[in-house]
Amino acid sequence: MIGDNDMKTVYTCFCTDVIHEGHLNIIENAHKYGKVVIGALSDEALIRYNRFPTISLEERISLYKSLDGVDDVIVQDTIMYDKVIEQLKPDYVVHGDNWKDGIESAIRDNVIKNLSTYGGELIEIPYTYNESVKKVDSRLKEKLAMPEYRRKRLKQLIKMCPIVKTIEAHSGLTGLIAEKTVVENDGKLDQFDAMWVSSLCDSTAKGKPDIELVDMSSRLRTIDDIMEVTTKPIILDGDTGGLTEHFVYNVRTLERMGVSAIIIEDKKGLKKNSLFGNDVVQTQDSIEAFSEKIAAGKRAQLTDDFMIIARIESLILEQGMEDALTRAFAFVKAGADGIMIHSRKKDPSEILEFCDKFREQDKDTPIVVVPSSYNVITEDELAAHGVNIVIYANQLTRSAFPAMKQTAEDILRYHRAKEVDDRLLPIKDIITLIDEL
Ligand code: SPV
Ligand code: MG
């Protein structure tokens, strides 16, 4: 150390489960300026940053403490540095220089702003990116994509997040959107936690009606395409679950693939999309028969990670709140790991009433909702009524379709593609959209 540098505090934040030479280089450089304090980013903040932890916070703290040149390890519980800088008042913050572009630049701006309030300094050192660092990075990502990690992640998220934000995916490309879309909002980073493989959108993408016509082999193929390019957990829309004798085999298959949950709805016969409500003939299954299907599925599964969630159609089919609640308690008794309650009203009040009444008697069983019709409700409001998972079930498909249709019409209208070009993804971006291995 140089001069009186041993009196100075140097801070750097780590958000990794595996140490590579890039991290060691940061510590070595930091050590030249004074006492090195490492921030271990909390689980909650890691999740919003898409670095889902594969080891616990305590294990990360011990890992960082064991490194040469580290004087202290503290917990940083938000991705932005306001609190940690205010408390620690480090003379220096050290970071790799790879955060000047993209969403991470918001974090960099935040550090500079906070340091400037008292004359602290940001030291950026060239980011180490060689073959061995690349290998560690991709190993970490691959590890998250492995079935045993992906499968249990939904249950972990339910414990860690106020509400698990889930978006529809029906292809590799929509999977990539679910995996990679990040925004900076109110000084925080935000992104989706999980993916919903919707029967409506999977069928629509194939130009087929949502009537269980797209069979399980095809649904599994869609899931596999999504899994190839993502790490986030998958919830499958399992429609009615089909025959109990078939359902048990599908549970095993999904579990082995690393799917986290299947949601099955208490209907029988020819299933139609719930958003039709009673405009079409739809028959609800009996409590007894559906409970038996759930119980058989639970008996078939091999791990504790996989969830079978029962979807109740009583409000959709106008059977009343009492019927919905009776079914919910019966399905939980039969072994359901969660309850999805659905509504096609624009007003969220019947959903909130259900959640409040269910929570009076059951504090723990996760509640799932799909606010396609009652889209005025916010995630915070849902969480305040005990909802654990919110699913944005069809918005990606519904936004893509009008955009594609308009483009097709305009090319026909103008006999060339120049007029549509302004609203298209640039060629250079589309060819770099997919990561190369
Ligand atoms: C789906 O996304 O296929 C669903 C939800 O089942 S809904 O379309 O609202 O019925
Ligand atoms: Mg569906």
Side-chain angles (χ1 to χ4, degrees), residues 310-327:
R311 162 171 170 175
I312 294 164
E313 294 286 289
S314 306
L315 303 181
I316 292 280
L317 300 174
E318 292 166 21
Q319 295 303 302
M321 188 60 66
E322 275 316 303
D323 186 67
L325 287 162
T326 306
R327 284 171 174 267

Side-chain angles (χ1 to χ4, degrees), residues 23-43:
H23 303 111
L24 300 179
N25 186 38
I26 291 210
I27 296 172
E28 200 182 307
N29 275 282
H31 193 58
K32 292 181 193 152
Y33 293 88
K35 187 174 88 125
V36 178
V37 180
I38 299 208
L41 199 62
S42 67
D43 287 348

Side-chain angles (χ1 to χ4, degrees), residues 13-273:
C13 179
F14 277 11
C15 45
T16 185
D17 293 352
V18 178
I19 299 297
H20 56 54
E21 57 186 274
H23 303 111
L24 300 179
N25 186 38
I26 291 210
I27 296 172
E28 200 182 307
N29 275 282
H31 193 58
K32 292 181 193 152
Y33 293 88
K35 187 174 88 125
V36 178
V37 180
I38 299 208
L41 199 62
S42 67
D43 287 348
E44 284 83 336
L46 278 174
I47 292 169
R48 298 267 77 85
Y49 193 41
N50 202 13
R51 304 281 169 89
F52 195 83
T54 58
I55 57 174
S56 69
L57 178 63
E58 290 68 35
E59 286 167 318
R60 292 199 297 283
I61 293 173
S62 314
L63 174 69
Y64 305 161
K65 274 191 179 154
S66 71
L67 301 171
D68 272 353
V70 174
D71 295 284
D72 201 4
V73 178
I74 59 173
V75 175
Q76 178 172 330
D77 55 20
T78 55
I79 192 72
M80 296 301 173
Y81 284 54
D82 307 64
K83 200 166 121 200
V84 77
I85 289 187
E86 198 197 321
Q87 283 170 357
L88 193 67
K89 292 252 165 4
D91 300 283
Y92 304 102
V93 167
V94 177
H95 199 282
D97 63 358
N98 59 324
W99 63 344
K100 293 184 178 161
D101 302 314
I103 201 78
E104 291 198 318
S105 64
I107 309 173
R108 180 176 186 264
D109 293 346
N110 171 271
V111 169
I112 294 172
K113 182 193 86 192
N114 279 292
L115 288 173
S116 73
T117 60
Y118 62 94
E121 228 181 284
L122 172 64
I123 297 167
E124 293 177 302
I125 56 172
Y127 182 66
T128 316
Y129 204 63
N130 55 27
E131 275 312 305
S132 91
V133 169
K134 206 169 146 189
K135 205 164 171 186
V136 173
D137 267 355
S138 70
R139 280 236 179 105
L140 253 180
K141 194 169 159 233
E142 288 305 317
K143 190 172 162 187
L144 286 173
M146 290 296 160
E148 60 275 30
Y149 285 96
R150 195 195 293 253
R151 192 173 51 226
K152 66 180 175 195
R153 187 160 156 182
L154 184 65
K155 276 198 172 175
Q156 292 173 316
L157 280 163
I158 291 171
K159 285 210 186 93
M160 290 169 168
C161 300
I163 189 158
V164 177
K165 297 184 244 218
T166 306
I167 183 111
E168 173 257 318
H170 59 266
S171 59
L173 190 63
T174 46
L176 281 177
I177 290 190
E179 179 82 9
K180 293 193 174 182
T181 305
V182 188
V183 294
E184 192 235 330
N185 216 350
D186 298 334
K188 288 185 190 148
L189 296 189
D190 210 355
Q191 58 181 290
F192 293 102
D193 300 299
M195 293 173 282
W196 163 247
V197 182
S198 149
S199 68
L200 175 67
C201 299
D202 201 0
S203 309
T204 303
K206 292 171 172 58
K208 297 267 170 69
D210 181 18
I211 52 171
E212 297 189 273
L213 172 64
V214 177
D215 67 11
M216 192 49 91
S217 304
S218 174
R219 307 290 310 279
L220 296 178
R221 182 69 236 161
T222 303
I223 294 173
D224 200 43
D225 285 344
I226 296 168
M227 282 185 158
E228 284 269 2
V229 293
T230 61
T231 62
K232 292 182 178 178
I234 291 176
I235 304 173
L236 175 67
D237 174 0
D239 292 316
T240 64
L243 294 173
T244 301
E245 293 82 347
H246 297 174
F247 179 57
V248 289
Y249 284 93
N250 289 329
V251 164
R252 281 274 174 96
T253 307
L254 294 166
E255 195 183 14
R256 192 183 67 245
M257 287 173 81
V259 170
S260 302
I262 184 168
I263 300 189
I264 53 170
E265 59 196 271
D266 60 352
K267 290 204 299 239
K268 64 177 185 182
L270 180 62
K271 189 222 78 157
K272 305 265 177 66
N273 185 274

